[in-house]
Amino acid sequence: MEDTEISGGELLLQIRNELIEAKVENGRYGLVVTENDNPMPAKMWIVNRLARVPILAERICSYVLPPEHFVSPSGQFLDRIDLPASDQEKEWDDVAADMTRMLSQSSPAGVTTVVYITSAAGEGKTSLIDEVAVRQAKAYKAKKTGSLLVPIPLGGRPFLRFDDLVVSALVNRLRFQLLYYDAFLELVRLGVLVPAFDGFEEMIVEASSGEALSALGNLVSNLGSTGTLLVAARKAYFDYPNLGSQARLFDTIGSDSEVVFKRLSLKRWGPDTFKTYAENRDVSDPPGLFKRVSEHLGEEHPVLTRAVLVRRLIDLAEEVDLSALAQRIGQDKSDYFSEFVNQIVEREAHHKWVDRSGNKSGSLLTTDEHHDLLAMIAQEMWLSATNELGIDVVDLVVAIFADDKVKTPSQARQIQERIKEHALLNLASVGRKKLTFDHEDFRVFYLGQALGCALIKGDTSIIRPVLDVAYLSRSAIEYASAYVRHHKIDVHRGILPMLQSLAHGAQRASFVRENCGAVILELIDGQSRKCEIDKVSFPAGALQGRRLNNLTVSSSYFHATSLEEAELRRCSFSECRFERLEVCGSGTIVKDTSFDATCQVDSVTYARGADDDNQYTVFGPQRVRRVLEMAGFNFPRDHQTKKDADAEQPIDDELAIVQKFLRVFLRTTTLDKPTVRLRLGEKSNLFFKKILPEMEKAGVVKEVGNHGQMRLATPMKRIDAAMRVAEGSFEKFLEQVQ
């Protein structure tokens, strides 16, 4: 809006080079705008005439393409914070319908609602968002709802600015150039638009830099306690037990905004969902198909429970012996995905990519050559920080590939044409001038293949750039390690020293250090051969699920990591620093593993009893050491170790109650007393009689409104800092927070 004038009930404004004249007057139910003798409520006039939201609804229907034969998953919805812990999650049998109904309802007044959609990779988050977006758009066009769901892909990469992402999605994906970012935000405030950010991965939620959390916090703050956001991620931020991880988000939101965080957890497909999808695909005997595969793999195998793999399984159903394929996949449960993808590529190589350049027909590319070409495309996407490549770039990659494989000009031209129709690739829906992988999992798989090949060759000219783009996902690293194992390479002779050398030569701000550490751990996972690592950094979650034997780590840095399902035997750590260790998970085995006196562990999160809701974080060397000794770690015996009661009791009861109280704020910015009583249970009386008055006096909590509601009066970062030096004492915590 470049120029606006309102006088005497007349409205004159210029927008997008168009001069608009209208009358403004008070009607029976509010402000009315009359243009061309057509009166309309002011909000409706802004939405339809200025923002052109009906056109956006049309673009969503045209350019957002949900998967064919969509089957709605089931899930669990974590809604109200004021419910007891045993009654938090509501079962949703038809998530798409329930989610559409939720979006069609009016948002609560005076609060911003952030809904996290969580599941593992390939279990339907993106498909669900696209399906619901189209349903909402059709309902909007039919005047059955007043809001639109706008899909905004993030690509799982760290970012700083939401405005660039929003405008890019509107202009590039939806071909809608009629909204600036500020206008988009205003429509979100009005409840007309609900942005769905897809790809907010856990690696950036827990990354120490916190760019994504800051960006989300700024967006929520700008909404000013209005509107609804959807965020699709592999793990919701409030699943993390540590206040410090969320301080950046919470403090960025600001003290004036009212925000509630909710979660929708998608479930994996079960037999009924599989059979419904198979029936939609016109499979002759869905129960028989499920039985044939499950006999070899079991009913819980990802091939039968992950939507993206089920679709591909049915693609293969009529062309291959599924019993034989299932038997091959079942032989190595840790590497089933490569076998599955290999079957798809074999079908392409032997039945579709026929060389027609000579008199004798044959395969244009071997199966291995197909893998090499797709790996080159995935690598180029990663280096270009995009999930799509222009056709001209793909042609260049193909030309390089053809030269390397000594293909004839005729064969090179055939490859350029056929690559656009490859079973694992798709032409982007907008303009069809870009090529993308059929699913993110396939791109990640071939990125891992490219990295694994470079590791075997020792080609640092490829390895270094790949490791320096961003944090590699754990899946990509697993695929790279599987590629190396498949070729039976001794990683201790060449690959591990090379990765350590790359880490030593990288700058602190580089992604190379953490990526090298992650790859090293993956390569030695499950091995018993002695290994020594020094001067390497390890990313968040590096030790979770690891089986490490005979490992010595020195002068290294560990970001926050859980020890859930980890197995550490005969390992030793010296001169290492750990941001945080979480020993409250299940399945942790620690045997003959030690920290020396030079190690520093900033904090440890542990559980009191079997209830996961009773998780607490301790700081200070004595209490940290005590918790880690209880978990099975060994420390050097020195006579200066504190032996008093404080060392034996990691955290006093009052501070434990405070931590549990503060954790509730990770799901809402304002609490009322009944909710606190539900959350604290039998400890609530002690909290209200003794702890809360002292926290209010210290300025930690303040009362707002007239209904006994509470919110934090001190930044969470400051609270976390005070907790770190409180040495497990409630009194010292109050002293420090002041």
Side-chain angles (χ1 to χ4, degrees):
M1 187 178 296
E2 298 175 2
D3 190 18
T4 306
E5 181 181 345
I6 302 178
S7 59
E10 298 288 336
L11 171 67
L12 179 65
L13 63 89
Q14 182 177 341
I15 184 169
R16 291 187 292 269
N17 297 321
E18 180 184 4
L19 191 64
I20 298 176
E21 296 182 71
K23 293 182 180 180
V24 182
E25 56 188 348
N26 285 318
R28 183 177 179 182
Y29 299 105
L31 203 62
V32 175
V33 178
T34 302
E35 183 184 6
N36 298 327
D37 297 326
N38 181 24
M40 188 179 299
K43 178 181 176 181
M44 187 179 299
W45 184 79
I46 292 172
V47 169
N48 295 335
R49 180 69 173 90
L50 297 186
R52 305 289 180 89
V53 172
I55 298 178
L56 179 58
E58 188 66 45
R59 298 291 167 83
I60 291 174
C61 291
S62 300
Y63 294 118
V64 176
L65 301 178
E68 293 183 304
H69 316 294
F70 175 81
V71 176
S72 179
S74 59
Q76 294 177 313
F77 186 57
L78 185 64
D79 188 4
R80 295 167 51 194
I81 187 65
D82 56 343
L83 293 175
S86 61
D87 192 28
Q88 285 183 342
E89 294 184 319
K90 182 187 298 183
E91 294 291 334
W92 280 6
D93 295 327
D94 185 345
V95 168
D98 289 327
M99 186 172 159
T100 302
R101 183 167 53 254
M102 177 187 71
L103 294 173
S104 298
Q105 297 171 350
S106 299
S107 299
V111 63
T112 298
T113 301
V114 181
V115 181
Y116 279 84
I117 305 175
T118 67
S119 76
E123 292 184 357
K125 295 186 296 294
T126 300
S127 298
L128 175 66
I129 289 173
D130 289 348
E131 173 70 21
V132 174
V134 172
R135 290 188 186 186
Q136 280 287 103
K138 291 179 179 178
Y140 187 91
K141 290 170 61 180
K143 302 186 185 311
K144 295 180 180 179
T145 184
S147 65
L148 288 179
L149 184 67
V150 183
I152 301 173
L154 306 183
R157 306 275 172 79
F159 50 84
L160 292 174
R161 298 176 64 92
F162 267 112
D163 51 356
D164 292 337
L165 294 163
V166 169
V167 173
S168 174
L170 291 173
V171 174
N172 296 332
R173 186 182 188 190
L174 301 177
R175 291 294 191 262
F176 188 76
Q177 302 176 355
L178 304 179
L179 282 182
Y180 293 104
Y181 182 68
D182 289 340
F184 178 86
L185 277 186
E186 190 60 41
L187 292 171
V188 176
R189 294 188 189 104
L190 292 172
V192 177
L193 300 183
V194 178
F197 297 101
D198 185 14
F200 197 90
E201 302 300 358
E202 72 176 286
M203 64 179 181
I204 55 178
V205 172
E206 183 71 357
S208 57
S209 55
E211 301 99 331
L213 293 178
S214 296
L216 180 61
N218 285 326
L219 174 61
V220 172
S221 179
N222 289 335
L223 291 178
S225 303
T226 58
T228 300
L229 306 175
L230 266 62
V231 179
R234 296 191 187 180
K235 189 173 185 181
Y237 92 97
F238 51 74
D239 283 340
Y240 292 101
N242 184 262
L243 295 178
S245 300
Q246 317 314 327
R248 186 182 294 266
L249 170 62
F250 198 92
D251 294 340
T252 307
I253 290 174
S255 59
D256 297 330
S257 298
E258 299 285 348
V259 187
V260 172
F261 295 90
K262 304 179 181 182
R263 180 181 60 197
L264 171 59
S265 303
L266 303 186
K267 293 183 178 180
R268 291 186 171 184
W269 282 16
D272 292 339
T273 313
F274 179 98
K275 293 168 186 174
T276 300
Y277 178 75
E279 289 171 356
N280 293 347
R281 291 284 303 271
D282 296 325
V283 173
S284 57
D285 182 18
L289 172 62
F290 185 87
K291 182 180 179 181
R292 272 189 293 157
V293 179
S294 62
E295 283 177 349
H296 296 283
L297 303 180
E299 294 187 359
E300 300 297 323
H301 195 279
V303 167
L304 295 171
T305 60
R306 291 178 60 191
V308 62
L309 300 183
V310 172
R311 177 166 63 90
R312 286 299 182 177
L313 178 69
I314 292 178
D315 288 342
L316 296 170
E318 297 180 357
E319 300 184 26
V320 301
D321 183 349
L322 286 184
S323 297
L325 173 61
Q327 193 165 5
R328 285 167 55 189
I329 293 174
Q331 289 175 354
D332 187 356
K333 296 186 179 179
S334 64
D335 197 23
Y336 72 90
F337 193 83
S338 61
E339 282 285 357
F340 193 77
V341 172
N342 192 63
Q343 184 64 57
I344 298 173
V345 171
E346 282 184 358
R347 185 183 64 163
E348 289 286 295
H350 299 319
H351 301 291
K352 295 190 175 183
W353 285 50
V354 179
D355 183 6
R356 306 188 185 281
S357 60
N359 295 327
K360 184 178 180 181
S361 296
S363 296
L364 185 61
L365 296 177
T366 65
T367 301
D368 288 341
E369 287 175 335
H370 272 273
H371 289 311
D372 292 342
L373 177 56
L374 293 171
M376 290 178 66
I377 292 174
Q379 178 183 314
E380 184 61 32
M381 287 180 178
W382 176 253
L383 295 176
S384 302
T386 181
N387 293 335
E388 300 174 345
L389 287 182
I391 295 300
D392 55 340
V393 178
V394 175
D395 288 344
L396 180 59
V397 172
V398 169
I400 296 172
F401 168 83
D403 286 343
D404 184 56
K405 301 298 183 182
V406 197
K407 299 296 181 181
T408 66
S410 175
Q411 290 173 328
R413 286 191 293 270
Q414 290 184 72
I415 297 170
Q416 284 185 342
E417 290 302 317
R418 302 279 181 83
I419 194 65
K420 303 177 183 65
E421 301 173 356
H422 198 286
L424 295 180
L425 298 172
N426 277 333
L427 285 170
S429 58
V430 178
R432 300 183 66 80
K433 294 181 180 180
K434 291 186 177 181
L435 205 63
T436 182
F437 276 89
D438 184 52
H439 191 273
E440 174 72 4
D441 272 13
F442 298 129
R443 184 185 68 83
V444 172
F445 172 77
Y446 278 108
L447 175 61
Q449 295 275 291
L451 177 59
C453 180
L455 289 172
I456 290 175
K457 294 179 180 178
D459 190 349
T460 56
S461 65
I462 293 178
I463 298 171
R464 191 192 305 271
V466 168
L467 297 182
D468 201 25
V469 172
Y471 287 112
L472 283 167
S473 69
R474 188 152 180 171
S475 296
I477 293 172
E478 288 173 352
Y479 294 138
S481 177
Y483 186 92
V484 173
R485 288 197 307 270
H486 178 73
H487 288 80
K488 296 180 170 51
I489 302 297
D490 184 358
V491 298
H492 294 268
R493 300 190 61 181
I495 295 179
L496 295 185
M498 175 189 61
L499 289 172
Q500 290 205 60
S501 177
L502 285 174
H504 295 168
Q507 298 179 355
R508 278 192 171 273
S510 169
F511 290 105
V512 172
R513 295 170 67 90
E514 280 81 6
N515 282 330
C516 281
V519 174
I520 289 173
L521 286 183
E522 184 63 42
L523 290 172
I524 64 175
D525 192 355
Q527 296 189 11
S528 58
R529 184 172 172 181
K530 185 174 179 58
C531 180
E532 296 182 359
I533 303 173
D534 73 304
K535 299 178 182 177
V536 175
S537 295
F538 298 93
L543 297 179
Q544 185 172 357
R546 296 293 182 199
R547 297 167 300 150
L548 303 176
N549 293 279
N550 281 324
L551 173 64
T552 300
V553 184
S554 59
S555 305
S556 297
Y557 188 93
F558 288 80
H559 289 276
T561 180
S562 168
L563 296 179
E564 184 177 7
E565 301 296 335
E567 186 176 323
L568 306 179
R569 298 179 184 272
R570 296 180 297 280
C571 298
S572 63
F573 300 88
S574 64
E575 297 185 64
C576 293
R577 181 177 177 183
F578 296 80
E579 279 187 8
R580 184 178 76 253
L581 286 174
E582 298 172 15
V583 295
C584 47
S586 61
T588 303
I589 299 176
V590 180
K591 298 289 185 181
D592 302 320
T593 295
S594 62
F595 290 99
D596 76 356
T598 61
C599 284
Q600 177 183 345
V601 183
D602 293 347
S603 65
V604 174
T605 299
Y606 72 107
R608 276 184 164 185
D611 187 0
D612 288 338
D613 195 44
N614 291 323
Q615 295 180 2
Y616 305 96
T617 301
V618 296
F619 308 89
Q622 299 300 330
R623 287 176 169 79
V624 164
R625 171 170 174 167
R626 173 61 179 153
V627 174
L628 291 178
E629 285 178 336
M630 292 167 59
F633 289 94
N634 298 323
F635 286 82
R637 295 185 177 276
D638 55 58
H639 298 290
Q640 297 179 353
T641 300
K642 194 174 181 181
K643 294 296 185 181
D644 58 21
D646 287 342
E648 295 300 318
Q649 179 64 31
I651 184 173
D652 64 29
D653 287 338
E654 286 84 358
L655 194 60
I657 294 173
V658 170
Q659 286 196 7
K660 190 170 184 178
F661 167 73
L662 292 173
R663 278 169 54 85
V664 185
F665 277 105
L666 299 183
R667 287 202 50 216
T668 183
T669 54
T670 304
L671 288 174
D672 55 29
K673 290 183 178 180
T675 300
V676 176
R677 290 189 182 278
L678 283 172
R679 294 293 166 176
L680 297 184
E682 61 183 15
K683 302 290 186 180
S684 61
N685 288 334
L686 175 61
F687 175 79
F688 283 109
K689 288 181 179 179
K690 177 183 177 182
I691 298 174
L692 180 59
E694 296 188 38
M695 291 178 67
E696 290 177 330
K697 184 178 179 181
V700 180
V701 182
K702 64 181 179 181
E703 187 170 327
V704 295
N706 300 320
H707 303 286
Q709 292 181 313
M710 295 172 284
R711 65 182 304 146
L712 296 183
T714 299
M716 189 173 284
K717 184 177 181 180
R718 184 175 174 184
I719 293 174
D720 181 63
M723 197 74 70
R724 291 176 180 274
V725 295
E727 299 180 356
S729 166
F730 176 55
E731 288 75 14
K732 289 185 179 180
F733 166 73
L734 293 178
E735 292 174 5
Q736 294 296 326
V737 83
Q738 294 182 71

